[in-house]
Every structure is written in structure tokens, then in C-alpha cells.
Amino acid sequence: MSEIALVNNPNVGLDKTQKGGPYVNELSTLNLGPTHPATHGIFQNILTMDGETIVDAEQTVGYIHRAFEKIAERRPFYQITTLTDRMNYCSAPINNMGWHMTVEKLLGIEVPKRAQYMRVILMELARLTDHIVCNSILAVDTGALTGFLYVYQWREFIYEIYEEMCGARLTTNMGRFGGMERDFTPVAIEKIQKLLKELPAALKEFEGMVMRNRIFMDRTQNVGGISAERALNYGFTGPNLRAAGVDYDVRAMNPYSSYEDFEFDVPVGTKGDTYDRFLVREEEMWQSLRIIQQAMDNLPEGAYHADAPHYYLPKKQDVYHNMEALIYHFKIVMGEIDAPVGEVYHSVEGGNGELGFHLVSDGGRTPYRLKFRRPGFIYYQAFPEMIKGTTLSDAIVTMSSMNVIAGELDT
Amino acid sequence: MNTKIMEALQAQFGEEGVYGMGESHGILQVTTAVENIVPMIHFLYAHPVFKFQFLTDLAGIHFPEAKGQELGVIYHLHSLENNVRLWIKAYAPIEAPNFPTITGLFATANWMEREAFDFYGIIFEGHPNLTRILNMDEMDYHPMRKEYPLEDATRHDKIDELFGR
Amino acid sequence: MSDSSVNIVEAPAGVEGAGFFATSLDSLVGLARANSLWPLPFATSCCGIEFMSTMASHYDIGRFGAERLSFSARQADVLMVMGTISKKMAPVVKQVYLQMAEPRWVLSVGACACSGGIFDTYSVLQGIDRIIPVDVYVPGCPPRPEQILDGFMQIQELAKNESTRRRNEPEYKALLASYGIE
């Protein structure tokens, strides 16, 4: 029928003289969000649709704007770690460690090898949790609910490891300037070994269900693609950029915290569509397991924090018995120690890409200006371009595969 | 690499065009005038060796004491092929915070500039849609400027009187 | 499985006999309501991820009858607000609450939803009880899944014991009127 052919034609216009009457080719508006079961986080898209096909999308973000950058100007450095937790809350340790490394760069603190390896292990565990969520929820959005339930158990297990190390599950506030607050406990080491032994089987089970599943492949291949040039122009980083074909990984390019000691591959896709993003994240999970295995095998002995008494809180036993420790404790907590003047930028490979911290310090107790370079905010701009001409269900799957986390989007 | 970039920029824009060159923890930073921003970024983008074709970040900043140069923008450029980063800073007075837009060159600058406008009131001339992005559209002030408080000015509990301040 | 380790829920007060159990209609309706609540997960930030943990198999909110999440406000019983509500989002929360049909309860999960949390800023609403009436507050940043389940169980107690004609009671009407809700 001619009307159907016209409606599915991507070159639509509002020509009311066309055959089929004035009601063919009329565009409709659909409000997707901010509360929607399939948008993972609160952001709104007002879609202009021609029948089932999306013609344009107008985005509104800021529904969870919490003014992190303004708060950061009022908090001493160690209190900002709790803010960084809440940006990409699926992989909080990466944000914490990134912030600590930024401040250590400013203060000139050298972190011992053991602490660096511990940080690598915890950051890779966080990457695992982030990618588990993204991939399993992508499968849920296409209707495959079981995979989510299977791998989520392992996410709970990683939470138990976090609890051993810092006491919290999700908003971890892990680590301190100069290293970690405590060494790996025997329980933590046992749990990490168990994870390394048993998570591969669970991942293989998940992949067996979803990765070569005809329905999943039909839903995600050639959907929401972006070329490498457009992705670079839009400032994409992380798995989304690597799926488009550019092998930019901050861990490989500007290694930090001893990443140069580890051997790992950086998976790269070809077409930049949803299926490639899923595969890149899946492969990154295997590489994370590889890194954790290497780090656990070669974990060096030594201190788990640097000798920086001006910035690292002394042990409580020392504070009660040693005058010097008491004075340092007082000075650190009451803010008598000022930071040096300077400007520093440090970036880490977050779950979504290059997470950067631009810190301008004027010598006071709090930063003068702290800018968070959030990958989610930057690549979400490309979403209208990626969904133009697709259907609504494809748009949902594209959004899900991009892993837009509202906390990171809006700070 | 940093010295080569410094020399090339000085050769192209002259001593008056690039003032305040320095290095901060390995990253070269250049301060320039507002008029030079677009030519400089184009120069670095199209340069056959340097190829600064990735815009990492664009941050606004407010220095209330620097009269005539209160509002600033810091551009982070990254050359992926050479693995070199570069900061370009420019300042404008608070009465006329007009900067040129670079959305023509980098599509990613769209939202970054909107964020700088939202927080600081920096006007980017030529921007396709310079409206507030994170704050509410009805907001009538630019919250990240130093004179405004962090807390909500209209709240009626948690006020200082109740806490004896 | 030995019977000694299984806790059986107490039946409501009533008369029992061979093949029948007589109790008041209210307690029966209360039981039915409490164990079949359909939550509307209004998850905005980090607490939403803890809610995902609560929904997953380890903590399983489906045991409490909340297996079927309703994203349509009309069909939902409990509005679970999880995460920071900014002032931009506040009209949306109010609209969703207004769209819910009676009986409806509100569970405020997390410090941000209860009182603004750590974000005492110009853009964050300092607690959703500024715009909608809240039944149960679950503090925490984020609260553990066990705490969310505890809050949910308190909502179940409310659903079990509240009068079925709560919507017509004068105190309830006064409460809604104080929020400007008809």
C-alpha cells in the first residue's frame, strides 16, 4: 500500500498534497522520560516521530543536577572523595582512585608499589561491576531477563569484597591520599581468588545465553551506529569509542598506577553499533579478569600507603599515644594544612571513558575550581544523531548500550 | 614536543598573541586573547604534525579579583596521535563575557559551552542553542560565580538563625 | 527441611473450624493488599542501584509480593522514590504522585529523598516531603537492601492495618490539602 511505503520513507516531508491525503507524513511528538522504565537514569528525550521512525530528538538533562562542582569548592580535599563516589555510581572506586591520583599529583606524593597494585585490582573490580550492569541491562531491554539475574549475583560478591576493604557496598569512598586505608585482609584475598576462579564460568553462561542469540543479534546489530570520525568529533572515549574503531584507552596511552606493568589487550570494534559496544564491554571484562590475575600473582610486599604524615591520617593507636601523631591528626582534620598552589589535570579510564579531574588550587584548604570531565555528559550529545531514522525500540537499545549514568551526566 | 609547539605558536601568533606559556606537570599551557582562540585552535587542528583533533574538555572559571579578566575559559586539547595535551586559556571581562564558539570544529563543544554558559554566564557567539543545560530554565543567575552561595538562598529551615550563627 | 526452622506467619484473629476460617473482611483485605503491593520504582541515582540489588535474586523483593513492578502510575500502589530529587525533577514527582490511584503509599528511600542528603545546594530539593506526603522514610546513603526491605515491610504493615476507606478520612484529606493536593 502506498501509504505504508510513504510512512517508512526516510526522506519524509510535510507535503500535504502527496497521495494518501493530508494525514500521511504528519509528524508526532513522543515524550520519552524523564521517568521511564527503560531509560537508566532521568533524562528526557522529546522525540519527533514519523509513525514509527524517529526524525529528531530534543534532549533535556539536568534532572539530577546536584551542583558537585560548587560543593567541591567548599569542601576540603578528602571530603570530595565522597562526591566522586556519586558520579558514576556503578563503578565508584575508579572515581575515588582517580581523584586521589589527581591530588597526589598536585601534592607530589609518591605511592608505593603495593598500594598501586591494590588500586589496580580494585579499579578493575569496579570496571567489572560497571560492565556487568551495562551488558545485563542491555539484555534486559531486549527482553532477556535471566542473564541479569545470573551475573548480578557476582556483582553482590564484588560488593562483599568492597565491604572487606572499606565497609561500604556502593558509595565506597575507598582509599586515601597516598595509598589505601587498610591492607588486603585475608578474607578479601580469599574472595578475590574465588572470584577469579568462578566468575569466568558465570560470564560464559551469560555469553552463551545472549551473545550469539539470534534475537539479540537482530535487535542490536546495525542499530545506533556511529563512525569513528563522528565519534572523535563528539569527544567519545571509552568502550563507545573503541566500538567505533579507535583504540584510545587511557590505561594504555597515559598509564597511571603501574598499569604499564600489566599485559592486557584493548578490544576494538568495527562498526560502532550496539552489538559492537556489547562485545567490547564483554571482552573488557575478560581483560579485567586477566589484569586482576596478574596483579594478584605479582602483588609486591611493602607499605600500603605512602609516608605522607601531612595528608594521611595516622593510625588511631598512634594518635592516642604519640604526640606527633595527635598533632598531625588535628591538623589534617581541622584543615590547618594548606595545599600547594597549582593546576593539575589527571584522567583515568573510567567505566565509560576518560574521567578527568581538572583541579585549580589557590593554596587554600579547598579547591579553587574543580572541573569533572565526565565521559557520560560528553558522549550523550551524540544520541540524537545516532537514533535518527531508527525506531523507538532501537533508540532504547542504543541508549542502553551507551551506558549513560545520570549521576555522571548531571554531576 | 612541548617546545616545538611553543615555538610554532609563537611563530604563528607572535609574542603578543601568546602570553603566559608554561608547563604544569608536563602539560603545556598557553594564555591568549579571546580573538586568537578560533585561529589558534584551527591552526593546531590542521597542523600536519601536531594534529590536536580531540577536545577533551572546556571549563569555565571565575576570578573576581582579576579586574577586566574575570571570566575565563580553559580549553583542553589532546593530540591522540602524538599523545600530547595542551591547555589554552582566555579571559574576558565580566561585563562582556563574549567568546567565539568552536562548535563548528568540534561537535562536542556544544554541550560543554552550554554548561559554561549555565554556570558562569559566558556567552559563546555563534552557538546554535545557547540555553541552560543543567540548571532550571527559570533560574536567573549563574550559580558557579564566586559571589553566590552554595545553599539555596530561599530556604526557610537549616538557616543560620536556627543554629545560632 | 525441618519444620522448626520455618516461621509461619500468624493468621489474623478469627474463628477456625474444620474446613473453614472466619475473620473480619478488613483483615482479609489487609492481608491481600499487603502481600501484593505493586511498587513504582522512581529510581534517580545511587539508591536506584541498591534497588536493583534488592530486585535481583540475592535479596529478592519478589518474596514480599512486589515481583511485578509498575512503571505506570495508575497501576502502582507504592511510590518508591530512590535517589536525589532536584528542583527540576520535583514537578515530575508531584505529577506522578497525583496520577497514582488510591490507595497509595510513598516510600522515601535514601538520605537524598528523605531530606536532601549530603547535597545542601541550590538545586536539590531538601526532601520529597516538601511536595508529597511520605509514609515511610528509609535513611542511608545508600541504604542496604535489607534496609529497603525493612522499609517495604513497614509499608506492608500500613497496608495491612489501614482502613480501606482511608481516603475519606478527615485527617488524610487535611494532610493532602496541606500539600495543595485535592
Side-chain angles (χ1 to χ4, degrees):
Chain A
M1 275 175 61
S2 54
E3 283 95 50
I4 296 174
L6 286 166
V7 160
N8 283 332
N9 185 345
N11 304 317
V12 295
L14 282 172
D15 186 356
K16 297 225 166 38
T17 60
Q18 224 159 8
K19 201 165 47 151
Y23 297 110
V24 183
N25 293 346
E26 216 170 72
L27 303 176
S28 57
T29 315
L30 182 69
N31 180 17
L32 186 67
T35 66
H36 190 275
T39 66
H40 312 290
I42 44 177
F43 28 88
Q44 185 183 32
N45 276 293
I46 300 181
L47 305 172
T48 316
M49 305 189 66
D50 172 35
E52 281 275 337
T53 324
I54 296 175
V55 169
D56 199 5
E58 193 192 307
Q59 300 165 291
T60 310
V61 296
Y63 283 105
I64 196 170
H65 178 56
R66 297 177 277 191
F68 277 33
E69 294 179 5
K70 186 94 183 168
I71 298 177
E73 291 177 9
R74 300 280 193 281
R75 300 276 179 267
F77 290 97
Y78 52 85
Q79 291 185 358
I80 295 175
T81 320
T82 55
L83 288 182
T84 57
D85 275 334
R86 289 149 175 86
M87 285 201 308
N88 182 345
Y89 33 76
C90 293
S91 55
I94 301 182
N95 308 349
N96 293 149
M97 310 293 180
W99 169 240
H100 288 139
M101 288 187 239
T102 310
V103 176
E104 284 155 12
K105 217 173 182 176
L106 179 74
L107 302 176
I109 297 178
E110 178 82 37
V111 178
K113 262 304 198 206
R114 185 182 175 86
Q116 289 186 358
Y117 274 52
M118 287 169 75
R119 280 181 170 175
V120 164
I121 293 172
L122 292 162
M123 284 198 280
E124 292 305 315
L125 284 174
R127 198 183 312 281
L128 276 172
T129 60
D130 203 345
H131 289 339
I132 284 177
V133 163
C134 183
N135 276 353
S136 56
I137 296 292
L138 172 60
V140 167
D141 281 343
T142 56
L145 291 156
T146 316
F148 162 76
L149 292 170
Y150 280 13
V151 289
Y152 221 80
Q153 268 185 306
W154 288 101
R155 212 159 169 269
E156 295 288 331
F157 192 74
I158 297 179
Y159 277 174
E160 286 176 26
I161 300 177
Y162 289 168
E163 278 178 329
E164 272 301 310
M165 289 310 295
C166 69
R169 285 158 53 99
L170 184 73
T171 49
T172 49
N173 193 9
M174 203 184 274
R176 301 282 179 264
F177 299 131
M180 305 293 299
E181 70 266 51
R182 59 175 66 86
D183 204 350
F184 274 145
T185 56
V187 175
I189 294 192
E190 194 187 304
K191 291 199 170 169
I192 296 176
Q193 311 276 21
K194 182 169 176 207
L195 184 92
L196 287 170
K197 249 198 312 257
E198 300 183 15
L199 181 57
L203 278 184
K204 281 208 183 70
E205 200 176 30
F206 177 69
E207 285 178 14
M209 265 193 278
V210 169
M211 202 154 90
R212 301 301 294 173
N213 184 317
R214 184 74 253 166
I215 305 173
F216 186 75
M217 286 166 72
D218 279 344
R219 281 298 300 269
T220 54
Q221 279 179 333
N222 296 320
V223 164
I226 190 164
S227 67
E229 294 78 37
R230 287 306 288 164
L232 282 172
N233 206 298
Y234 267 111
F236 272 44
T237 45
N240 295 338
L241 179 65
R242 292 195 279 277
V246 179
D247 63 340
Y248 171 47
D249 186 333
V250 184
R251 297 173 292 173
M253 205 173 200
N254 304 23
Y256 50 89
S257 189
S258 299
Y259 264 107
E260 60 269 10
D261 292 352
F262 302 108
E263 205 182 285
F264 61 98
D265 298 323
V266 174
V268 168
T270 45
K271 281 187 293 194
D273 60 4
T274 302
Y275 192 57
D276 273 357
R277 286 192 279 270
F278 174 82
L279 290 177
V280 164
R281 288 204 171 90
E282 200 63 42
E283 185 57 38
E284 276 188 18
M285 283 201 262
W286 289 108
Q287 297 301 319
S288 287
L289 282 172
R290 198 172 154 195
I291 297 177
I292 300 175
Q293 182 72 60
Q294 289 172 50
M296 288 299 288
D297 290 340
N298 306 328
L299 193 62
E301 295 300 319
Y304 54 91
H305 67 94
D307 183 23
H310 288 277
Y311 303 104
Y312 186 88
L313 281 173
K315 276 202 182 12
K316 255 314 192 255
Q317 299 97 301
D318 295 343
V319 171
Y320 286 132
H321 294 111
N322 185 339
M323 190 54 168
E324 220 176 79
L326 175 66
I327 294 175
Y328 275 130
H329 188 275
F330 181 84
K331 284 174 88 160
I332 293 172
V333 171
M334 297 306 287
E336 308 282 323
I337 296 179
D338 290 338
V341 179
E343 193 169 343
V344 69
Y345 175 80
H346 184 75
S347 60
V348 294
E349 180 71 21
N352 286 341
E354 180 182 342
L355 176 68
F357 301 88
H358 185 93
L359 173 63
V360 177
S361 166
D362 64 342
R365 189 184 174 203
T366 65
Y368 187 81
R369 169 84 168 109
L370 174 57
K371 171 85 169 59
F372 299 106
R373 193 258 179 208
R374 296 106 54 203
F377 180 72
I378 288 170
Y379 62 60
Y380 187 54
Q381 294 177 74
F383 184 64
E385 195 176 300
M386 289 161 86
I387 58 167
K388 216 166 270 206
T390 59
T391 59
L392 179 60
S393 24
D394 291 341
I396 297 292
V397 160
T398 308
M399 192 192 297
S400 187
S401 73
M402 282 173 80
N403 202 23
V404 190
I405 294 183
E408 196 177 53
L409 193 61
D410 295 343
T411 62
Chain B
M1 190 62 149
N2 279 352
T3 37
K4 273 198 253 168
I5 302 173
M6 274 201 263
E7 286 161 12
L9 284 175
Q10 270 173 335
Q12 178 77 8
F13 294 95
E15 289 286 340
E16 344 58 64
V18 285
Y19 33 94
M21 283 223 252
E23 254 188 57
S24 170
H25 297 271
I27 300 183
L28 176 65
Q29 54 175 331
V30 172
T31 314
T32 182
V34 175
E35 303 80 49
N36 284 341
I37 295 174
V38 176
M40 193 181 282
I41 294 182
H42 269 273
F43 171 68
L44 291 165
Y45 191 103
H47 197 282
V49 175
F50 301 147
K51 294 204 204 160
F52 279 96
Q53 293 170 352
F54 191 81
L55 179 69
T56 303
D57 202 7
L58 194 158
I61 195 163
H62 181 216
F63 289 106
E65 292 92 35
K67 297 295 167 207
Q69 293 207 318
E70 287 93 353
L71 289 176
V73 175
I74 306 175
Y75 298 85
H76 276 240
L77 293 171
H78 189 42
S79 167
L80 291 175
E81 303 197 20
N82 302 316
N83 195 5
V84 178
R85 293 181 193 261
L86 170 65
W87 295 343
I88 300 179
K89 303 188 192 182
Y91 299 94
I94 202 162
E95 304 82 30
N98 301 317
F99 281 76
T101 186
I102 54 171
T103 46
L105 194 56
F106 294 107
T108 189
N110 193 323
W111 276 19
M112 294 184 189
E113 290 177 354
R114 277 180 73 182
E115 192 186 358
F117 166 70
D118 189 2
F119 285 154
Y120 289 100
I122 299 173
I123 314 269
F124 289 92
E125 288 154 358
H127 193 277
N129 179 24
L130 196 66
T131 49
R132 286 188 182 269
I133 185 167
L134 293 178
N135 285 311
M136 296 175 73
D137 295 324
E138 301 87 57
M139 196 181 244
D140 52 3
Y141 67 101
H142 296 283
M144 281 286 280
R145 290 192 185 177
K146 293 287 178 184
E147 59 260 27
Y148 298 114
L150 169 66
E151 296 84 8
D152 181 13
T154 62
R155 62 186 179 164
H156 53 84
D157 66 344
K158 300 186 203 168
I159 52 178
D160 287 346
E161 275 172 24
L162 291 175
F163 289 102
R165 288 199 270 261
Chain C
M1 228 184 350
S2 74
D3 287 312
S4 56
S5 63
V6 176
N7 294 332
I8 300 186
V9 175
E10 285 189 18
V15 174
E16 202 177 316
F20 78 95
F21 181 76
T23 178
S24 69
L25 183 64
D26 274 343
S27 28
L28 193 62
V29 169
L31 260 186
R33 274 180 165 190
N35 295 312
S36 64
L37 289 170
W38 286 6
L40 197 169
F42 200 100
T44 54
S45 60
C46 344
C47 289
I49 306 293
E50 283 298 51
F51 178 71
M52 280 167 63
S53 290
T54 316
M55 245 198 331
S57 46
H58 204 109
Y59 293 103
D60 199 10
I61 204 170
R63 296 178 282 164
F64 298 89
E67 181 68 43
R68 196 266 193 194
L69 304 175
S70 165
F71 284 94
S72 163
R74 285 295 196 197
Q75 300 174 357
D77 300 315
V78 186
L79 175 65
M80 299 175 75
V81 181
M82 299 174 284
T84 321
I85 300 295
S86 67
K87 296 199 178 136
K88 202 166 175 177
M89 193 64 182
V92 179
V93 179
K94 186 140 191 185
Q95 199 176 8
V96 168
Y97 179 75
L98 289 175
Q99 285 174 350
M100 282 172 81
E102 291 283 353
R104 57 189 172 188
W105 294 274
V106 177
L107 178 66
S108 161
V109 176
C112 293
C114 295
S115 68
I118 65 174
F119 303 110
D120 188 6
T121 71
Y122 57 85
S123 65
V124 171
L125 187 69
Q126 303 293 304
I128 58 169
D129 54 5
R130 301 230 172 178
I131 46 170
I132 55 176
V134 174
D135 290 296
V136 177
Y137 298 85
V138 181
C141 193
R144 284 188 64 103
E146 289 98 331
Q147 291 172 271
I148 303 179
L149 288 174
D150 193 22
F152 194 77
M153 283 164 71
Q154 306 243 4
I155 295 266
Q156 284 187 313
E157 288 299 311
L158 283 177
K160 210 192 297 190
N161 299 320
E162 262 180 4
S163 146
T164 50
R165 290 291 133 206
R166 181 190 68 162
R167 73 191 78 175
N168 296 329
E169 285 168 13
E171 296 94 20
Y172 187 70
K173 286 188 176 172
L175 177 67
L176 289 190
S178 69
Y179 282 100
I181 302 171
E182 295 312 305

